[in-house]
Amino acid sequence: MANASGFFSPPVPRMRRNIQPSIGIFRSGFCFSEGNFRRVVCSSGIEGAEKHVSPSESRLPKLVSKGCKLVGCGSAVPALSVSNDDLAKIVDTSDQWISVRTGIRNRRVISGKESLKNLAVQAARKALEMADFDPNDLDLILMCTSTPEDLFGAAPQVQRELGCRKTPLAYDITAACSGFVLGLVSAACHIRGGGFHNVLVIGADGISRLVDWTDRGTCILFGDAAGAVLVQACDAEEDGLLSFDLHSDGEGGRHLGVPINDNKTSDLLGSNGSVLDFPPKRSSYSCIQMNGQEVFRFAVRCVPQSIESALGKAGLVAASIDWLLLHQANQRIIDAVATRLEFPQEKVISNLANYGNTSAASIPLALDEAVRSGKVKPGHTIATAGFGAGLTWGSAIIRWG
Amino acid sequence: MANATGFFTPSVPCLRRKIQPSIGISRSGICFSEGIFRRVVCSSGIEGAEKHFSPSKSRVPKLVSKGCKLVGCGSAVPILSVSNDDLAKIVDTSDEWIYVRTGIRNRRVISGKESLKSLAVEAARKALEMADVDRNDLDLILMCTSTPDDLFGVAPQVQRELGCTKTPLAYDITAACSGFVLGLVSAACHIRGGGFRNVLVIGADIISRIVDWTDRGTCILFGDAAGAVLVQACDAEEDGLLGFDLHSDGEGGRHLGAPINDDRTNDLLGSNGSVLDFPPKRSSYNCVQMNGKEVFRFAVRCVPQSIESALEKAGLTASSIDWLLLHQANQRIIDAVATRLEFPQEKVISNLANYGNTSAASIPLALDEVVRSGKVKSGQTIATAGFGAGLTWGSAVIRWG
């Protein structure tokens, strides 16, 4: 599978992150109120995990602060690249029409033996490699996707392919294009509030499977990809999630979705003569349905507000942020948000020209390219925001590395 | 929609839980290491949220501990009840065969205008009512489901139907029968580590939609339902999540799933003569596929170990726990686990005779019944465990109320 930039990536400095055993604590939450210490054990289990509290130690270990930092990233895209001209052969559109209105020139589509799982695993491996990290030290894998290869979830299969032998918890977060930002925040919460140490957050989607390829309004927009970030527990001083601001508004749900097709046509007469629909007929999901104009308006209205709110909570201003990294849905949305927040163009990360809207993968995919190209350096701050179906939107101020 | 017990619930004391504003802190994580205080702001945004410290106060608010407690529950099931005898009319089975092997007599199946969303909303409303918490005080809704009405997730629609006006974040966790326990732990992590205060955890599934009703091996097992619990921030002394232990093992994934049907039959010859499969054909999900014997063996092997691990982390023993509440998959699994852990029958909660395996809904559905019947009282401890597709399994030791 080609990597995100299409060629062997230039070597990037490894961000060596060996696990620092916490002094006096393992995976336990510690709380105190008004000077009274009380040990609250709320740990997750991994076979063979070290216990850092020996029986001879005090039952009230020293309180240790918890932050989380982003220590590795990776991404993967399918080999098949579909250009606007390719699409013009199957629907009534043109390269100019698409690129002017969306900024997209090409997108990648899963084909042959490729799968979402494989893309996710590829991205995950690269993130682990960058962080010089053993997959067996993972304690949580969050797979942010709306297009799993199994309705019961995709994460455990990714865990298996990665070769994790210590049965780390792995599950899916289903939140469309906001998935990755929600996953990052969830990772931070699990580290800060649940005693987890090494959380892999993967954003991956194969929207090509849900798109109606005869609908020129939607099929031009989407592509397939996966991206991953390794989030690791650390001391408070190194904390890399400076703030966040997350929302949903189901009122807008009708503007963007993949609703179920309920076929209630199988009837069975009940004993009292009434019609029962049992057994239920098999349902299926329809293709993506979208009111592009409404979604556009929602994004340009809600995203700047959300980022400003996150900046406020972090005690920062846009001018002090190094990069703006939005969900890569449409260049005009990116431009409108950047303008509203007064981010200069050179600080705006954009790669959707090559990949289209890859849903939950778009942020980590763009982040990975920007890191591996050397643009984003350790210590740089990034204002990132996801937005999409739900409607759900969320922003976070993060520090890379 | 009938409630879980089929009649108007006897009045239960409301677990009145008004939100206690934290002194000196709003949604911020406070960390310190070795005596050095540093304010880490990691808050979520809710319009109009109170700020608990005025600009004139110290920039380093007093550290306040965070626990979480379960303050309300609710459930909902469809009206249509399908008995084993009803099933014997459509597949080759019998009431005795099903009952002896599974413990199931009846299950509920959605019909008519019912939907996953409507069941989830009903359950949620009841939980909020019991807790006497206003829906507008929610700041997070976690919908644990593998059978959403929309592939992009159903939580925002539940949020909308509940009438939440403050755009609380709402998203889906997809983890099959383990979903609810993972959702509870996620809620706790968001409260302890992310500043959230009122988290609604809903477990809901409509497995009837994805079951093959001609397959007597699976169609007899499942039912539809929804259950909800409100988890609220509190002081450490009142903390209600005493220990947990969560795992996944993708190696067992082949034993239970609803995998995608990738129809790669639409070929397009590429310019170099190779076959490309673009555009992709629409995919769909297969019916539930299960190796019952392997799943059974997995459950009786992994669940007792996991509960023992959670108990140990909580510093408790099985004999000190008031109730055992397992995912309601099969009475023989429940019995085997109870026996292994030496839980006496009278401490084991079971209602699957009436509802079958309702996937992510099973634990909150059973919990709600025993709370409303008065069996489970405030202050009692429960060892709970979910297990299923992934394979994923997880246990938690919780205190009710």
Short mmCIF file of all heavy atoms in Angstrom, two decimals, chain A residues 144-183:
data_model
loop_
_atom_site.label_atom_id
_atom_site.label_comp_id
_atom_site.label_asym_id
_atom_site.label_seq_id
_atom_site.Cartn_x
_atom_site.Cartn_y
_atom_site.Cartn_z
N CYS A 144 -11.80 4.84 15.65
CA CYS A 144 -12.85 5.82 15.32
C CYS A 144 -13.24 5.59 13.87
O CYS A 144 -12.47 5.90 12.97
CB CYS A 144 -12.35 7.23 15.56
SG CYS A 144 -11.52 7.40 17.16
N THR A 145 -14.43 5.03 13.66
CA THR A 145 -14.87 4.70 12.32
C THR A 145 -16.39 4.60 12.29
O THR A 145 -17.02 4.30 13.30
CB THR A 145 -14.26 3.37 11.84
OG1 THR A 145 -14.65 3.15 10.48
CG2 THR A 145 -14.75 2.19 12.68
N SER A 146 -16.94 4.87 11.12
CA SER A 146 -18.36 4.63 10.91
C SER A 146 -18.58 3.56 9.86
O SER A 146 -19.72 3.28 9.48
CB SER A 146 -19.07 5.92 10.47
OG SER A 146 -18.93 6.92 11.48
N THR A 147 -17.48 3.01 9.37
CA THR A 147 -17.57 2.01 8.30
C THR A 147 -16.80 0.74 8.67
O THR A 147 -15.89 0.32 7.95
CB THR A 147 -17.02 2.59 6.98
OG1 THR A 147 -15.71 3.14 7.24
CG2 THR A 147 -17.92 3.68 6.44
N PRO A 148 -17.17 0.13 9.78
CA PRO A 148 -16.44 -1.06 10.21
C PRO A 148 -16.71 -2.23 9.29
O PRO A 148 -17.74 -2.28 8.61
CB PRO A 148 -17.03 -1.32 11.60
CG PRO A 148 -18.43 -0.81 11.51
CD PRO A 148 -18.34 0.42 10.63
N GLU A 149 -15.80 -3.18 9.30
CA GLU A 149 -16.01 -4.36 8.49
C GLU A 149 -16.81 -5.43 9.23
O GLU A 149 -16.99 -6.55 8.76
CB GLU A 149 -14.67 -4.90 7.97
CG GLU A 149 -14.29 -4.13 6.72
CD GLU A 149 -12.80 -3.94 6.49
OE1 GLU A 149 -11.99 -4.36 7.33
OE2 GLU A 149 -12.44 -3.36 5.46
N ASP A 150 -17.27 -5.07 10.40
CA ASP A 150 -18.17 -5.93 11.16
C ASP A 150 -19.05 -5.00 11.99
O ASP A 150 -18.54 -4.09 12.63
CB ASP A 150 -17.37 -6.88 12.07
CG ASP A 150 -18.24 -7.96 12.70
OD1 ASP A 150 -19.27 -7.63 13.33
OD2 ASP A 150 -17.89 -9.14 12.58
N LEU A 151 -20.34 -5.23 11.96
CA LEU A 151 -21.25 -4.35 12.69
C LEU A 151 -20.95 -4.32 14.17
O LEU A 151 -21.26 -3.35 14.86
CB LEU A 151 -22.70 -4.81 12.50
CG LEU A 151 -23.59 -4.02 11.55
CD1 LEU A 151 -25.03 -4.45 11.70
CD2 LEU A 151 -23.46 -2.52 11.73
N PHE A 152 -20.35 -5.37 14.68
CA PHE A 152 -20.01 -5.43 16.10
C PHE A 152 -18.72 -4.68 16.42
O PHE A 152 -18.31 -4.62 17.56
CB PHE A 152 -19.91 -6.88 16.56
CG PHE A 152 -21.23 -7.59 16.71
CD1 PHE A 152 -21.37 -8.93 16.38
CD2 PHE A 152 -22.35 -6.91 17.19
CE1 PHE A 152 -22.60 -9.59 16.52
CE2 PHE A 152 -23.58 -7.56 17.34
CZ PHE A 152 -23.70 -8.91 17.00
N GLY A 153 -18.07 -4.12 15.40
CA GLY A 153 -16.88 -3.32 15.65
C GLY A 153 -15.64 -3.85 14.97
O GLY A 153 -15.51 -5.05 14.73
N ALA A 154 -14.73 -2.93 14.66
CA ALA A 154 -13.52 -3.28 13.91
C ALA A 154 -12.27 -3.36 14.78
O ALA A 154 -11.30 -4.02 14.42
CB ALA A 154 -13.29 -2.24 12.81
N ALA A 155 -12.31 -2.70 15.93
CA ALA A 155 -11.08 -2.55 16.72
C ALA A 155 -10.40 -3.86 17.13
O ALA A 155 -9.17 -3.97 17.03
CB ALA A 155 -11.37 -1.69 17.95
N PRO A 156 -11.15 -4.86 17.59
CA PRO A 156 -10.45 -6.09 18.01
C PRO A 156 -9.68 -6.77 16.88
O PRO A 156 -8.65 -7.40 17.12
CB PRO A 156 -11.59 -6.98 18.54
CG PRO A 156 -12.64 -6.02 18.98
CD PRO A 156 -12.58 -4.91 17.96
N GLN A 157 -10.16 -6.63 15.65
CA GLN A 157 -9.43 -7.23 14.53
C GLN A 157 -8.13 -6.48 14.26
O GLN A 157 -7.12 -7.06 13.86
CB GLN A 157 -10.30 -7.27 13.28
CG GLN A 157 -11.38 -8.33 13.37
CD GLN A 157 -10.80 -9.68 13.78
OE1 GLN A 157 -9.96 -10.25 13.10
NE2 GLN A 157 -11.23 -10.20 14.93
N VAL A 158 -8.17 -5.19 14.47
CA VAL A 158 -6.94 -4.40 14.33
C VAL A 158 -5.95 -4.81 15.41
O VAL A 158 -4.76 -5.00 15.15
CB VAL A 158 -7.26 -2.90 14.42
CG1 VAL A 158 -5.99 -2.07 14.48
CG2 VAL A 158 -8.13 -2.47 13.24
N GLN A 159 -6.47 -4.99 16.61
CA GLN A 159 -5.62 -5.44 17.74
C GLN A 159 -4.96 -6.76 17.41
O GLN A 159 -3.76 -6.97 17.64
CB GLN A 159 -6.53 -5.57 18.98
CG GLN A 159 -5.82 -6.01 20.25
CD GLN A 159 -6.49 -7.23 20.87
OE1 GLN A 159 -6.73 -8.24 20.20
NE2 GLN A 159 -6.80 -7.16 22.14
N ARG A 160 -5.72 -7.65 16.81
CA ARG A 160 -5.18 -8.97 16.47
C ARG A 160 -4.08 -8.85 15.41
O ARG A 160 -3.01 -9.41 15.55
CB ARG A 160 -6.31 -9.87 15.96
CG ARG A 160 -5.83 -11.27 15.56
CD ARG A 160 -7.01 -12.11 15.12
NE ARG A 160 -7.45 -11.76 13.78
CZ ARG A 160 -7.18 -12.47 12.69
NH1 ARG A 160 -6.46 -13.56 12.78
NH2 ARG A 160 -7.63 -12.07 11.52
N GLU A 161 -4.34 -8.08 14.37
CA GLU A 161 -3.35 -7.93 13.29
C GLU A 161 -2.09 -7.23 13.78
O GLU A 161 -1.00 -7.48 13.25
CB GLU A 161 -3.94 -7.09 12.15
CG GLU A 161 -4.92 -7.83 11.30
CD GLU A 161 -4.25 -8.85 10.40
OE1 GLU A 161 -3.20 -8.53 9.80
OE2 GLU A 161 -4.77 -9.97 10.29
N LEU A 162 -2.24 -6.35 14.76
CA LEU A 162 -1.05 -5.67 15.30
C LEU A 162 -0.19 -6.62 16.10
O LEU A 162 0.96 -6.33 16.39
CB LEU A 162 -1.48 -4.50 16.21
CG LEU A 162 -1.80 -3.18 15.54
CD1 LEU A 162 -2.24 -2.17 16.59
CD2 LEU A 162 -0.58 -2.64 14.79
N GLY A 163 -0.81 -7.74 16.49
CA GLY A 163 -0.03 -8.72 17.24
C GLY A 163 0.04 -8.44 18.72
O GLY A 163 0.98 -8.87 19.40
N CYS A 164 -0.96 -7.74 19.25
CA CYS A 164 -0.97 -7.45 20.70
C CYS A 164 -1.30 -8.74 21.44
O CYS A 164 -2.36 -9.32 21.23
CB CYS A 164 -2.04 -6.41 21.03
SG CYS A 164 -1.87 -4.89 20.10
N ARG A 165 -0.41 -9.15 22.32
CA ARG A 165 -0.64 -10.43 22.99
C ARG A 165 -1.24 -10.28 24.37
O ARG A 165 -1.61 -11.24 25.01
CB ARG A 165 0.67 -11.22 23.09
CG ARG A 165 1.23 -11.66 21.74
CD ARG A 165 2.42 -12.61 21.94
NE ARG A 165 3.45 -11.99 22.79
CZ ARG A 165 4.45 -11.24 22.33
NH1 ARG A 165 4.54 -11.01 21.03
NH2 ARG A 165 5.34 -10.72 23.16
N LYS A 166 -1.31 -9.04 24.86
CA LYS A 166 -1.75 -8.88 26.25
C LYS A 166 -3.20 -8.43 26.35
O LYS A 166 -3.59 -7.79 27.32
CB LYS A 166 -0.82 -7.90 26.96
CG LYS A 166 0.59 -8.45 27.10
CD LYS A 166 1.48 -7.53 27.89
CE LYS A 166 2.89 -8.13 27.99
NZ LYS A 166 3.85 -7.19 28.63
N THR A 167 -3.98 -8.77 25.39
CA THR A 167 -5.42 -8.52 25.36
C THR A 167 -5.82 -7.12 25.79
O THR A 167 -6.72 -6.94 26.61
CB THR A 167 -6.18 -9.56 26.22
OG1 THR A 167 -5.82 -9.45 27.60
CG2 THR A 167 -5.93 -10.96 25.72
N PRO A 168 -5.19 -6.08 25.21
CA PRO A 168 -5.63 -4.72 25.54
C PRO A 168 -7.04 -4.48 25.02
O PRO A 168 -7.41 -4.98 23.95
CB PRO A 168 -4.63 -3.83 24.78
CG PRO A 168 -4.21 -4.66 23.62
CD PRO A 168 -4.15 -6.08 24.14
N LEU A 169 -7.81 -3.72 25.78
CA LEU A 169 -9.16 -3.39 25.35
C LEU A 169 -9.12 -2.67 24.01
O LEU A 169 -8.26 -1.81 23.79
CB LEU A 169 -9.81 -2.47 26.40
CG LEU A 169 -11.22 -1.98 26.06
CD1 LEU A 169 -12.19 -3.16 26.00
CD2 LEU A 169 -11.68 -0.95 27.07
N ALA A 170 -10.04 -3.02 23.12
CA ALA A 170 -10.10 -2.40 21.81
C ALA A 170 -11.56 -2.26 21.41
O ALA A 170 -12.28 -3.25 21.34
CB ALA A 170 -9.36 -3.25 20.78
N TYR A 171 -12.00 -1.03 21.17
CA TYR A 171 -13.38 -0.88 20.72
C TYR A 171 -13.53 0.33 19.82
O TYR A 171 -12.63 1.14 19.68
CB TYR A 171 -14.35 -0.82 21.92
CG TYR A 171 -14.25 0.40 22.81
CD1 TYR A 171 -15.01 1.54 22.58
CD2 TYR A 171 -13.42 0.37 23.94
CE1 TYR A 171 -14.95 2.63 23.42
CE2 TYR A 171 -13.37 1.46 24.79
CZ TYR A 171 -14.13 2.58 24.53
OH TYR A 171 -14.07 3.66 25.38
N ASP A 172 -14.72 0.41 19.19
CA ASP A 172 -14.99 1.45 18.19
C ASP A 172 -15.73 2.64 18.78
O ASP A 172 -16.63 2.47 19.60
CB ASP A 172 -15.86 0.88 17.07
CG ASP A 172 -15.12 -0.12 16.19
OD1 ASP A 172 -14.09 -0.68 16.61
OD2 ASP A 172 -15.61 -0.38 15.07
N ILE A 173 -15.36 3.80 18.31
CA ILE A 173 -16.12 5.02 18.55
C ILE A 173 -16.75 5.39 17.22
O ILE A 173 -16.04 5.53 16.22
CB ILE A 173 -15.20 6.15 19.05
CG1 ILE A 173 -14.87 5.93 20.54
CG2 ILE A 173 -15.85 7.52 18.84
CD1 ILE A 173 -13.89 6.93 21.10
N THR A 174 -18.08 5.50 17.19
CA THR A 174 -18.77 5.79 15.94
C THR A 174 -19.29 7.22 15.99
O THR A 174 -20.31 7.50 16.62
CB THR A 174 -19.94 4.80 15.74
OG1 THR A 174 -19.41 3.47 15.78
CG2 THR A 174 -20.61 5.03 14.40
N ALA A 175 -18.59 8.12 15.33
CA ALA A 175 -18.98 9.53 15.37
C ALA A 175 -18.58 10.24 14.09
O ALA A 175 -18.22 11.42 14.11
CB ALA A 175 -18.35 10.22 16.58
N ALA A 176 -18.67 9.52 12.99
CA ALA A 176 -18.46 10.10 11.66
C ALA A 176 -17.19 10.95 11.61
O ALA A 176 -16.14 10.55 12.10
CB ALA A 176 -19.70 10.89 11.25
N CYS A 177 -17.29 12.14 11.01
CA CYS A 177 -16.10 12.95 10.76
C CYS A 177 -15.53 13.60 12.01
O CYS A 177 -14.43 14.15 11.97
CB CYS A 177 -16.42 14.04 9.72
SG CYS A 177 -16.98 13.33 8.14
N SER A 178 -16.27 13.56 13.11
CA SER A 178 -15.76 14.11 14.38
C SER A 178 -15.04 13.04 15.18
O SER A 178 -14.45 13.32 16.21
CB SER A 178 -16.92 14.65 15.23
OG SER A 178 -17.68 15.58 14.49
N GLY A 179 -15.10 11.82 14.68
CA GLY A 179 -14.63 10.67 15.44
C GLY A 179 -13.24 10.81 16.02
O GLY A 179 -13.00 10.50 17.18
N PHE A 180 -12.30 11.29 15.20
CA PHE A 180 -10.92 11.30 15.67
C PHE A 180 -10.70 12.27 16.83
O PHE A 180 -10.02 11.94 17.81
CB PHE A 180 -9.95 11.64 14.53
CG PHE A 180 -8.52 11.51 14.94
CD1 PHE A 180 -7.93 10.26 15.07
CD2 PHE A 180 -7.77 12.65 15.25
CE1 PHE A 180 -6.61 10.14 15.50
CE2 PHE A 180 -6.44 12.53 15.67
CZ PHE A 180 -5.86 11.28 15.79
N VAL A 181 -11.29 13.45 16.74
CA VAL A 181 -11.12 14.41 17.85
C VAL A 181 -11.77 13.85 19.11
O VAL A 181 -11.21 13.94 20.21
CB VAL A 181 -11.73 15.78 17.48
CG1 VAL A 181 -11.66 16.73 18.68
CG2 VAL A 181 -10.96 16.38 16.31
N LEU A 182 -12.92 13.24 18.98
CA LEU A 182 -13.58 12.62 20.14
C LEU A 182 -12.73 11.49 20.69
O LEU A 182 -12.65 11.27 21.91
CB LEU A 182 -14.95 12.06 19.73
CG LEU A 182 -16.15 13.00 19.87
CD1 LEU A 182 -15.93 14.34 19.24
CD2 LEU A 182 -17.39 12.35 19.27
N GLY A 183 -12.09 10.76 19.79
CA GLY A 183 -11.22 9.67 20.21
C GLY A 183 -10.01 10.18 20.97
O GLY A 183 -9.59 9.59 21.97
#
